[in-house]
Amino acid sequence: MRGGWFKVYALVYLVFLYAPIILLPMFAFNDATVIAFPLSGFSTKWFAALVDDPLLRDAVRNSLIIAVTTAILSTTLAVFAARASTRYRFPGKAGLMGLIMLPLVLPEIIVAVSLLSILLMAGIELSILTVILGHVLICTPFCIAILSSAFQSLDRSLEEAAYDLGETPFSTFRLIILPLVMPGIISSLLISFTISLDEFIIAFFLAGTQATLPVYILSQFRFPQAVPAIMALGTILVCLSILLLGIAEFFRRRGLARSGAKDTGGFL
Amino acid sequence: MTSGGVLRRTGRSEAATGLAMISPTATYAILLLAAPLALIFIVSFLTDGYLEIIRTFTFANYIEAWTNELYRVVMVRSLLVALSVTAVTVLLAFPVAYFVSFHVDPSRKSLWLFLITIPFWTSYLIRVFLWKVILGYNGVVNSSLLGLGIISEPLQWINYNVGAVVVTLAHAYAPFAILPIFVALEKIDRSLLEAGQDLGESRVMTFLRVTLPLAMPGVVAAVLIVFIPIIGDFVTPQLVGGPEGRMVANLIQLQYLKLDNYPLGSAIAVSAMAIVTLVSLLFLYLNRRYLRGPGS
């Protein structure tokens, strides 16, 4: 069989990738407080424990506010940049795009400490708002990557036709371009929401006293008795991410199918 | 046909329209990325006072960051960890990318890529913590090996050390390595490989002389995209690394959040970035030498 050994290797690799995620529900539904084998018995008490934790409720609320705002802002900023870079030639384009895409390769801690310094020097109090500022910065490059491929696959003659039929640039954008890139916009919203929801380092530095979900999770790891509930929380989060990504993937493929482009793979 | 028709109607030059369109995003990046980065660069040359930063120019922070034994040990360790994680991640990832590109039916490639990216999108902290559970003293690996009677007491070398950090990070950055390599492999014209074999090269030689050089752009992207962010990771060393696993990001965090010494923290951050940039440039140079081939 051609590629036989490669296939075995790839499957083993997938097991390596999924090992932590397979363990997660095992411990979430396990009866014992200690996170170890052998499992002792089935229980849903850790899920119940999540419901009446006021700290968790605050963290979830903060994270949702941050993630929704970040998704909208970074997708909006990315629409401008992706449209400009795929459609127009202008001086300084490579430099500006390089700067905008820089957070993709910059260690997050560098982004976090430099933002922290400037915010404190400007006298801005740390809050949910400052986390949003940081998250928009790191999510925008991912959104641009998704949206650029959506804008690139647009057929320019459609736009020309709209102009020839008397539409203004704005109405052309609203009536022709926006509907065509809509699947890209939806998957960009979902991806940036997911990144923001899971981002830890920037939130840790910039949240001040308002903990986000990952900051809460890390603080709970210090208490061994709190860990099983975190496993339950993790199980819920994994299911949520898979659901969101499934939807994002669906829209991405539909977008590709709509513009007739070839599928080039994942989001990254 | 270019955008001539549009431009006549809007009455603006293409350059002006493009600049106007990118300006919101560019302004955001300049204010919240370029300016803060410039600021920490400046702060790294200032003097730390109690609860404030004194505006006198000094190299003291850099001298401290580069000569203090503690900082030097951590920096060298971070560099070694980042290099070994990058090597392990990319070497493990290459065959997977090769398999998906060359041996998977085109209609199922998206599914494979989707499967590879899903774990990446699940809570990073919880994944790191679970590696601690897997590799820990009473962890999954030790208890199953004990249960099977392969070992008589728990293995110590797999938990709370640099090795555990390497495994955890190699797991966390896997899709970042697989995807760029996959994209590069996809672009290779398959007829080149047939040509190589028709001309009498063995399969291994065809791989070394055709496939690998053509895949190099993807490998380079993978190496850089894994290597650079790892320097900035401080959760993994903190959770699974133990006292011997501390990395440079932990130092930066310590200076900023615990000791409130922004100038020294900035000097360490700037030094770390400088080292990362130098190593990356060196790697790019070596890669160019390799692609030019021997004897030229």
Side-chain angles (χ1 to χ4, degrees):
Chain A
M1 179 173 100
R2 239 173 83 83
W5 284 110
F6 278 110
K7 184 161 196 173
V8 172
Y9 175 80
L11 290 173
V12 171
Y13 193 88
L14 277 187
V15 172
F16 165 67
L17 282 184
Y18 280 86
I21 294 166
I22 293 165
L23 289 175
L24 197 53
M26 289 188 192
F27 293 123
F29 288 107
N30 187 22
D31 210 1
T33 315
V34 186
I35 303 291
F37 283 108
L39 302 172
S40 62
F42 182 84
S43 159
T44 53
K45 65 178 174 184
W46 306 119
F47 289 90
L50 290 176
V51 180
D52 25 63
D53 183 346
L55 284 177
L56 174 65
R57 223 173 299 145
D58 283 349
V60 168
R61 202 203 57 209
N62 290 343
S63 273
L64 285 179
I65 295 173
I66 292 168
V68 169
T69 319
T70 301
I72 295 169
L73 287 178
S74 51
T75 302
T76 311
L77 287 177
V79 166
F80 284 113
R83 174 74 172 152
S85 77
T86 52
R87 177 68 172 73
Y88 300 99
R89 272 170 304 168
F90 50 89
K93 178 169 158 180
L96 286 176
M97 283 309 286
L99 176 68
I100 294 168
M101 298 303 271
L102 187 63
L104 216 49
V105 290
L106 208 58
E108 268 176 31
I109 194 164
I110 303 286
V111 176
V113 296
S114 60
L115 269 174
L116 179 70
S117 308
I118 208 159
L119 289 170
L120 290 185
M121 254 168 230
I124 297 169
E125 194 126 338
L126 297 180
S127 66
I128 290 179
L129 187 72
T130 49
V131 180
I132 293 173
L133 291 178
H135 279 185
V136 170
L137 204 59
I138 59 158
C139 288
T140 305
F142 285 94
C143 298
I144 292 176
I146 296 165
L147 288 169
S148 290
S149 65
F151 278 113
Q152 225 142 35
S153 52
L154 280 181
D155 185 350
R156 186 167 298 180
S157 54
L158 290 175
E159 197 186 324
E160 299 282 347
Y163 287 127
D164 289 343
L165 292 170
E167 296 289 347
T168 65
F170 179 74
S171 63
T172 307
F173 186 80
R174 196 172 60 84
L175 294 171
I176 309 292
I177 298 169
L178 207 55
L180 284 172
V181 295
M182 208 33 146
I185 288 178
I186 292 173
S187 75
S188 156
L189 284 170
L190 292 170
I191 293 293
S192 45
F193 178 86
T194 315
I195 294 174
S196 168
L197 201 62
D198 190 35
E199 201 288 330
F200 169 72
I201 295 178
I202 290 175
F204 183 69
F205 275 83
L206 299 182
T209 53
Q210 297 181 291
T212 67
L213 201 49
V215 174
Y216 166 82
I217 290 174
L218 189 74
S219 72
Q220 293 305 95
F221 282 150
R222 278 181 295 150
F223 313 113
Q225 74 275 15
V227 171
I230 296 299
M231 297 294 115
L233 178 62
T235 310
I236 297 172
L237 287 176
V238 167
C239 295
L240 192 70
S241 314
I242 293 175
L243 185 71
L244 287 180
L245 290 170
I247 299 172
E249 173 73 5
F250 171 78
F251 277 105
R252 197 186 61 83
R253 285 196 196 176
R254 207 171 75 170
L256 286 174
R258 198 182 278 185
S259 58
K262 190 171 157 272
D263 194 350
T264 49
F267 320 103
L268 282 170
Chain B
M1 180 166 116
T2 56
S3 49
V6 186
L7 298 175
R8 241 177 289 123
R9 247 161 275 243
T10 53
R12 277 200 291 181
S13 76
E14 181 176 343
T17 317
L19 276 173
M21 193 166 286
I22 205 170
S23 62
T25 321
T27 312
Y28 193 87
I30 290 167
L31 285 179
L32 288 164
L33 184 62
L37 288 177
L39 179 74
I40 61 164
F41 185 71
I42 295 167
V43 167
S44 70
F45 289 102
L46 299 181
T47 312
D48 181 50
Y50 181 68
L51 289 180
E52 58 172 347
I53 294 162
I54 300 164
R55 296 183 184 195
T56 35
F57 180 87
T58 175
F59 281 115
N61 303 309
Y62 283 97
I63 295 170
E64 173 76 1
W66 286 83
T67 55
N68 188 319
E69 188 65 26
L70 171 75
Y71 301 145
R72 217 174 42 206
V73 168
V74 175
M75 249 194 246
V76 169
R77 184 195 299 143
S78 305
L79 194 61
L80 291 178
V81 168
L83 286 173
S84 37
V85 171
T86 309
V88 169
T89 312
V90 174
L91 286 177
L92 287 179
F94 193 95
V96 177
Y98 186 84
F99 167 74
V100 177
S101 179
F102 281 70
H103 295 305
V104 170
D105 186 66
S107 62
R108 309 196 55 168
K109 281 180 182 173
S110 294
L111 178 69
W112 268 91
L113 293 177
F114 192 56
L115 282 176
I116 288 165
T117 35
I118 280 183
F120 166 75
W121 294 108
T122 57
S123 176
Y124 175 66
L125 290 173
I126 292 178
R127 259 186 300 153
V128 173
F129 181 82
L130 284 166
W131 277 107
K132 189 171 143 172
V133 173
I134 294 172
L135 300 172
Y137 188 80
N138 292 318
V140 176
V141 171
N142 273 332
S143 54
S144 28
L145 288 180
L146 279 173
L148 292 170
I150 295 171
I151 52 174
S152 53
E153 54 186 273
L155 301 172
Q156 301 255 16
W157 53 268
I158 56 171
N159 46 56
Y160 291 111
N161 58 22
V162 176
V165 175
V166 173
V167 172
T168 309
L169 288 174
H171 179 263
Y173 286 88
F176 283 117
I178 295 176
L179 292 177
I181 298 173
F182 169 77
V183 170
L185 287 171
E186 279 292 276
K187 285 189 188 143
I188 295 175
D189 186 348
R190 301 299 193 259
S191 59
L192 289 176
L193 307 182
E194 284 165 28
Q197 284 180 8
D198 286 349
L199 292 170
E201 295 275 31
S202 70
R203 221 177 243 182
V204 176
M205 284 310 283
T206 313
F207 175 82
L208 286 179
R209 295 179 59 167
V210 183
T211 315
L212 193 57
L214 287 173
M216 261 340 241
V219 176
V220 169
V223 165
L224 295 182
I225 226 165
V226 173
F227 175 70
I228 299 173
I230 281 177
I231 290 288
D233 195 303
F234 74 93
V235 186
T236 307
Q238 195 174 316
L239 278 179
V240 300
E244 289 306 303
R246 262 203 296 167
M247 301 212 339
V248 72
N250 302 80
L251 283 186
I252 299 174
Q253 184 221 349
L254 190 74
Q255 293 299 335
Y256 267 89
L257 297 185
K258 295 269 160 63
L259 305 176
D260 231 3
N261 188 342
Y262 282 28
L264 183 54
S266 303
I268 297 173
V270 172
S271 307
M273 283 310 294
I275 295 172
V276 167
T277 312
L278 269 179
V279 173
S280 304
L281 290 176
L282 182 71
F283 174 74
L284 288 174
Y285 170 75
L286 288 176
N287 174 58
R288 199 171 295 169
R289 285 278 299 269
Y290 163 75
L291 286 185
R292 219 180 285 146
S296 61

